[in-house]
């Protein structure tokens, strides 16, 4: 699964991939569940897919935190883009949600960062489900409360589930197989699923962000009734370690640490959330953001540009070690980043045409000219994980593919998938010849040096981009497509226009990115499932409607053990690749950060990436050595 607390707010943004973990069933501990049919079940303080949880029921803290980390200080962060909405419910549907909103709400469970796909109780103290995973009951902690002092209730949880599912297409798709949430006790909420066997559903429910029913059904400071279906810029009521202190619409947000935060001593919170304030400054693009960072107007910056990482960090503060450059390995997830060919467009309905567009992409030359050779080509929808397919299918993967043999390209059984390789004139000419062969085989032709479709209409495509880095990549790709006879335009859209067009699938080509869990599951329906293809705002931007893909997604979701999950995911990956839905771009196995050296941290766990900001703290001694902030 992939809907972590901030993932939903950032979904679709190619600028960064958020940590993603997949979960499911679990184990442990004591009393029988107080729900119908639950007499033989035990309450579980932690849930983990296909295995036991690391931490026992009486654990005091995660091993990787510093329980004595000092509280205090300010962390100034950079956000790219803008915002005009604090309402999580309509994120991805209306307006631009401020990512900082993800810091003010709690979920029923929270993930550990030194295990694969494991959650422990946060708002909920425990959960129980039957062996067939047909439902789950969560029990709330009695001391959980909102920032106004009122308790978090079972009614809040039911309200949150019903509201998010009603108004958010993304949540509606993600929770499609959760048919009902109901209060079954003073602190108990039961979620009923549409069938047994989906071991991930109990923990997917644990990711639910809980909203305050009484606040949303109340009135604002002007006496106006709040509308949960509309955008708004009134700071919402939350229950997390931070709340919104102040903001300037579209430009900045300041969060303050809640001094009487109810969960301060929870094992899952000890040693974390150490800053008194989190400040977010919004910038149009990374170039402007970098100049602000150099001027000490922000404490750290995540760098997505290989060129800037190689050339733009030569200012004095780096030379004298006041600014630290560091790369953090990405071990928690895989990814697919690619040019998306919108299969809703007639020109991209034929896989041969889509494949031709891949042959026209000279990654090797782009990597040399634009990226200083730092990147590698993506060859899988699960790049960077053991879930990526390779070679020829065999064993369990082959057996799974046999069940859809009549619905998939025959070549995937006899040829290993690989992207075309360019990088020199001879290879590029050979790739373009193959691209031309494919489009002609699909009924396209060249007339007056322009590619025309089978009806004689000239092939014209618009590449829709949102930021300068995407524009730069698209401009490099454009001449290669033009050599194929395609008429290409690059359209740079502002944030609002771009998001509106993506939601409506109104584009020919975009760049998209899908973060992938180490234990993928139900989110694959949202990514590639036929039902999501027609659901505005879904992550199926490609428009895939493929019965074999649908069948393999179900194999992934209903896998009963880790080996079967891996085999099913590789089979799904292979079928997606051999349908040539996208032109894969590139990846880098690390996150690049530069920071002013004012902070401390414990040893980071394997799946934490940078751990910023939750696992870091303000170090006054370090700050004094490098001077005051400007």
């Amino acid at each position: 699964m992939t809907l972590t607390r901030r993932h939903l707010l950032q979904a679709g943004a190619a600028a960064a991939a958020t940590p993603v973990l997949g979960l499911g069933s679990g184990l442990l501990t004591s009393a029988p569940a107080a729900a119908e049919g639950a007499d033989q079940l035990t309450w579980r303080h932690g849930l983990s897919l296909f295995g036991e949880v690391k931490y026992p029921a009486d654990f005091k803290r995660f091993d990787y935190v510093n329980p004595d980390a000092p509280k205090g200080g300010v962390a100034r962060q950079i956000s790219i883009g803008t915002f005009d909405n604090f309402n999580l419910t309509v994120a991805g549907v209306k307006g631009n949600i401020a990512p900082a909103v993800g810091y003010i709400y709690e979920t029923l469970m929270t993930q550990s960062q030194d295990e694969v796909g494991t959650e422990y109780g946060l708002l909920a103290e425990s959960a129980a489900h039957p062996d067939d995973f047909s439902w789950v009951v969560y029990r709330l902690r009695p001391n959980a409360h909102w920032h106004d002092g009122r308790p978090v209730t079972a009614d809040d949880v039911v309200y949150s589930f019903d509201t998010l599912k009603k108004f958010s297409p993304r949540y509606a798709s993600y929770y499609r197989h959760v048919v009902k949430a109901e209060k079954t006790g003073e602190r108990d909420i039961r979620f009923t699923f549409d069938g047994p066997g989906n071991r991930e559903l109990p923990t997917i429910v644990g990711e639910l962000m809980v909203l305050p029913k009484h606040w949303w059904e109340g009135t604002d400071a002007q006496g106006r009734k709040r509308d949960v279906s509309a955008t708004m810029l009134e700071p919402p009521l939350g229950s997390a370690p931070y709340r919104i202190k102040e903001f300037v619409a579209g430009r900045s947000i300041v969060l303050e640490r809640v001094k009487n935060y109810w969960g301060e001593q929870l094992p899952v919170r000890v040693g974390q959330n150490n800053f008194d304030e989190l400040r977010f400054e919004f910038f149009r693009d990374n170039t402007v953001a970098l100049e602000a960072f150099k001027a000490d107007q922000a404490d750290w910056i995540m760098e997505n540009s290989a060129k800037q990482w190689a050339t733009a960090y030569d200012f004095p503060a780096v030379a004298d070690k006041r600014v630290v450059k560091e790369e953090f390995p990405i071990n928690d997830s895989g990814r697919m980043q690619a040019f998306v060919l919108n299969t809703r467009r007639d020109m991209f309905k034929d896989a041969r045409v889509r494949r031709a567009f891949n042959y026209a992409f000279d990654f090797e030359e782009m990597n040399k000219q634009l990226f200083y050779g730092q990147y590698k080509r993506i060859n899988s929808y699960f790049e960077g994980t053991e879930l990526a397919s390779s070679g020829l299918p065999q064993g369990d993967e082959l057996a799974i593919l046999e069940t859809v043999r009549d619905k998939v390209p025959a070549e995937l059984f006899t040829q290993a998938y690989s992207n075309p390789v360019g990088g020199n004139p001879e290879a590029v000419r050979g790739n373009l010849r193959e691209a031309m062969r494919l489009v002609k085989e699909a009924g396209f032709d060249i007339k007056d040096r322009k590619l025309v479709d089978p009806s004689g209409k000239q092939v014209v495509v618009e590449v829709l981009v949102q930021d300068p880095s995407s524009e730069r990549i698209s401009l490099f790709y454009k001449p290669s497509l033009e050599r194929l006879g395609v008429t290409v335009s690059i359209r740079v859209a502002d944030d609002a226009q771009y998001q509106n067009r993506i939601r409506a699938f109104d584009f020919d080509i975009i760049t998209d990115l899908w973060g992938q869990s180490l234990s993928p599951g139900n989110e694959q329906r949202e990514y590639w499932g036929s039902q999501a293809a027609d659901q505005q705002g879904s992550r199926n931007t490609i428009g895939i409607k493929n019965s074999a893909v649908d069948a393999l997604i179900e194999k992934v979701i209903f896998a009963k053990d880790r080996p079967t999950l891996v085999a099913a995911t590789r089979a799904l990956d292979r079928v997606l690749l051999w349908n040539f839905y996208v032109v894969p771009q590139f990846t880098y196995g690390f996150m690049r950060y530069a920071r002013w050296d004012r902070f401390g941290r414990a040893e980071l766990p394997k799946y934490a990436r940078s751990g910023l900001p939750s696992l870091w703290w303000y170090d006054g001694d370090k700050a004094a050595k490098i001077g005051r902030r400007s």
Side-chain angles (χ1 to χ4, degrees):
M1 78 185 70
T2 60
L3 280 185
T4 62
R5 57 185 311 150
R6 278 177 290 281
H7 176 77
L8 178 71
L9 308 181
Q10 299 169 334
T18 55
V20 285
L21 296 169
L23 307 166
S25 66
L27 55 130
L28 292 180
T29 91
S30 49
E36 182 182 355
D39 339 1
Q40 305 305 315
L41 297 179
T42 56
W43 288 104
R44 308 162 191 263
H45 75 285
L47 304 177
S48 181
L49 186 63
F50 304 133
E52 297 187 355
V53 299
K54 172 182 177 179
Y55 295 96
D58 60 350
F59 82 106
K60 304 303 181 186
R61 62 176 177 87
F62 292 130
D63 290 345
Y64 50 83
V65 303
N66 174 8
D68 301 316
K71 302 288 186 182
V74 175
R76 303 169 303 163
Q77 305 177 68
I78 287 171
S79 288
I80 302 300
T82 186
F83 68 93
D84 59 8
N85 178 32
F86 288 155
N87 183 3
L88 170 71
T89 306
V90 294
V93 181
K94 300 176 182 178
N96 292 311
I97 188 75
V101 172
Y103 287 86
I104 70 172
Y105 293 116
E106 298 283 44
T107 50
L108 293 171
M109 307 281 277
T110 191
Q111 298 168 356
S112 65
Q113 297 181 65
D114 57 351
E115 301 169 83
V116 174
T118 303
E119 288 186 347
Y120 295 90
L122 182 51
L123 283 174
E125 64 182 13
S126 54
H129 60 75
D131 291 340
D132 68 357
F133 309 102
S134 57
W135 50 265
V136 66
V137 178
Y138 276 95
R139 174 165 291 171
L140 295 174
R141 296 185 188 273
N143 61 326
H145 62 259
W146 301 103
H147 295 155
D148 65 359
R150 295 180 63 165
V152 178
T153 67
D155 289 331
D156 290 325
V157 179
V158 173
Y159 170 81
S160 302
F161 173 80
D162 291 342
T163 300
L164 289 168
K165 194 171 182 182
K166 178 179 179 180
F167 293 109
S168 170
R170 194 159 293 148
Y171 272 108
S173 175
Y174 199 56
Y175 292 133
R176 184 167 70 245
H177 298 280
V178 185
V179 297
K180 182 170 58 174
E182 57 186 328
K183 178 179 177 179
T184 56
E186 183 182 358
R187 292 185 285 119
D188 295 352
I189 310 94
R190 173 168 170 161
F191 297 87
T192 303
F193 310 139
D194 61 0
N198 190 333
R199 65 177 56 241
E200 197 179 33
L201 286 177
T203 324
I204 279 181
V205 169
E207 294 180 339
L208 179 70
M209 282 198 228
V210 179
L211 311 175
K213 179 181 179 182
H214 71 278
W215 190 87
W216 279 104
E217 292 185 343
T219 56
D220 63 17
Q222 286 73 44
R224 296 171 299 198
K225 185 172 176 56
R226 296 186 180 97
D227 182 356
V228 75
S229 68
T231 61
M232 67 157 196
L233 280 174
E234 179 187 6
L237 179 70
S239 61
Y242 291 96
R243 61 184 165 207
I244 296 176
K245 177 183 178 182
E246 59 190 47
F247 68 95
V248 177
R251 294 180 58 185
S252 64
I253 303 173
V254 178
L255 302 181
E256 63 178 351
R257 189 163 58 86
V258 178
K259 302 301 182 186
N260 60 345
Y261 168 54
W262 68 272
E264 188 72 27
Q265 298 305 315
L266 289 180
V268 296
R269 285 290 186 240
V270 169
Q272 303 178 62
N273 304 302
N274 301 310
F275 295 103
D276 278 348
E277 286 188 357
L278 301 176
R279 297 183 181 177
F280 299 81
E281 295 291 335
F282 288 76
F283 298 89
R284 171 60 181 155
D285 59 56
N286 264 2
T287 303
V288 178
L290 177 57
E291 293 307 311
F293 172 74
K294 289 179 179 179
D296 199 7
Q297 295 175 22
D299 288 311
W300 62 76
I301 185 169
M302 185 181 73
E303 184 54 73
N304 290 317
S305 168
K307 178 183 178 181
Q308 291 201 162
W309 190 248
T311 65
Y313 290 83
D314 57 355
F315 52 100
V318 174
D320 61 24
K321 308 297 186 185
R322 288 179 295 136
V323 165
V324 177
K325 292 175 65 180
E326 189 169 6
E327 295 185 337
F328 299 94
I330 300 173
N331 296 318
D332 65 329
S333 65
R335 65 188 275 154
M336 166 56 83
Q337 178 177 307
F339 289 112
V340 171
L341 310 177
N342 189 353
T343 61
R344 301 169 186 85
R345 301 288 203 246
D346 288 340
M347 75 183 94
F348 293 133
K349 291 189 183 299
D350 194 307
R352 291 168 293 189
V353 175
R354 301 193 297 267
R355 189 175 191 181
F357 272 60
N358 195 9
Y359 271 100
F361 181 48
D362 187 359
F363 162 73
E364 286 71 24
E365 188 63 25
M366 176 185 286
N367 193 32
K368 186 193 314 178
Q369 289 192 25
L370 301 187
F371 306 138
Y372 293 77
Q374 293 185 35
Y375 290 140
K376 74 169 193 172
R377 188 85 191 270
I378 288 176
N379 283 285
S380 168
Y381 282 75
F382 300 85
E383 185 73 34
T385 74
E386 67 167 332
L387 305 164
S389 60
S390 62
L392 296 178
Q394 52 187 307
D396 290 343
E397 182 194 350
L398 178 59
I400 290 170
L401 286 169
E402 289 289 356
T403 66
V404 293
R405 179 181 276 272
D406 60 332
K407 300 181 179 69
V408 302
E411 297 94 328
L412 68 79
F413 290 98
T414 59
Q415 298 178 39
Y417 176 86
S418 63
N419 288 307
V421 176
N424 62 73
E426 182 179 352
V428 170
R429 285 194 296 271
N431 288 339
L432 286 173
R433 282 194 296 269
E434 178 62 14
M436 187 58 66
R437 184 192 70 79
L438 287 165
V439 295
K440 287 188 173 183
E441 189 178 286
F444 290 65
D445 204 354
I446 296 289
K447 290 185 180 178
D448 299 324
R449 303 178 68 179
K450 299 294 184 182
L451 188 68
V452 297
D453 66 18
S455 70
K457 182 181 177 182
Q458 186 175 323
V459 175
V460 178
V461 300
E462 178 187 81
V463 184
L464 183 66
V465 301
Q466 185 182 19
D467 56 71
S469 62
S470 295
E471 181 183 19
R472 188 161 154 256
I473 295 164
S474 300
L475 286 169
F476 188 95
Y477 188 26
K478 178 183 177 183
S480 298
L481 291 176
E482 290 174 336
R483 291 181 66 184
L484 194 59
V486 179
T487 301
V488 182
S489 64
I490 311 293
R491 174 69 179 274
V492 182
D494 62 33
D495 287 346
Q497 182 186 44
Y498 185 85
Q499 293 302 327
N500 286 336
R501 289 189 61 178
I502 298 304
R503 290 180 195 122
F505 307 126
D506 179 20
F507 61 86
D508 299 329
I509 301 176
I510 59 169
T511 290
D512 205 350
L513 182 153
W514 296 268
Q516 289 288 6
S517 162
L518 298 180
S519 293
N522 290 264
E523 78 286 344
Q524 302 301 307
R525 293 183 179 129
E526 168 81 357
Y527 289 176
W528 334 113
S530 295
Q531 184 170 334
D534 295 325
Q535 187 174 55
Q536 288 203 357
S538 83
R539 293 302 324 283
N540 188 351
T541 49
I542 300 167
I544 298 173
K545 288 185 176 181
N546 184 314
S547 59
V549 169
D550 291 337
L552 292 173
I553 290 172
E554 298 307 296
K555 297 281 189 184
V556 171
I557 292 171
F558 288 95
K560 296 185 180 303
D561 52 50
R562 180 72 187 176
T564 304
L565 175 71
V566 172
T569 306
R570 289 176 177 172
L572 172 63
D573 182 36
R574 198 177 297 271
V575 171
L576 290 169
L577 289 169
W578 275 96
N579 276 283
F580 308 103
Y581 290 122
V582 300
V583 177
Q585 292 184 356
F586 40 80
T587 188
Y588 188 64
F590 296 84
M591 298 187 75
R592 310 178 187 95
Y593 276 89
R595 69 179 184 277
W596 290 90
D597 193 17
R598 299 184 174 101
F599 309 103
R601 71 162 192 257
E603 187 71 26
L604 293 177
K606 182 175 182 179
Y607 303 111
R609 299 196 182 185
S610 70
L612 285 166
S614 64
L615 299 182
W616 294 65
W617 58 85
Y618 185 79
D619 187 319
D621 292 337
K622 284 186 173 183
K625 289 179 182 178
I626 68 170
R628 299 182 61 182
R629 290 163 163 153
S630 58

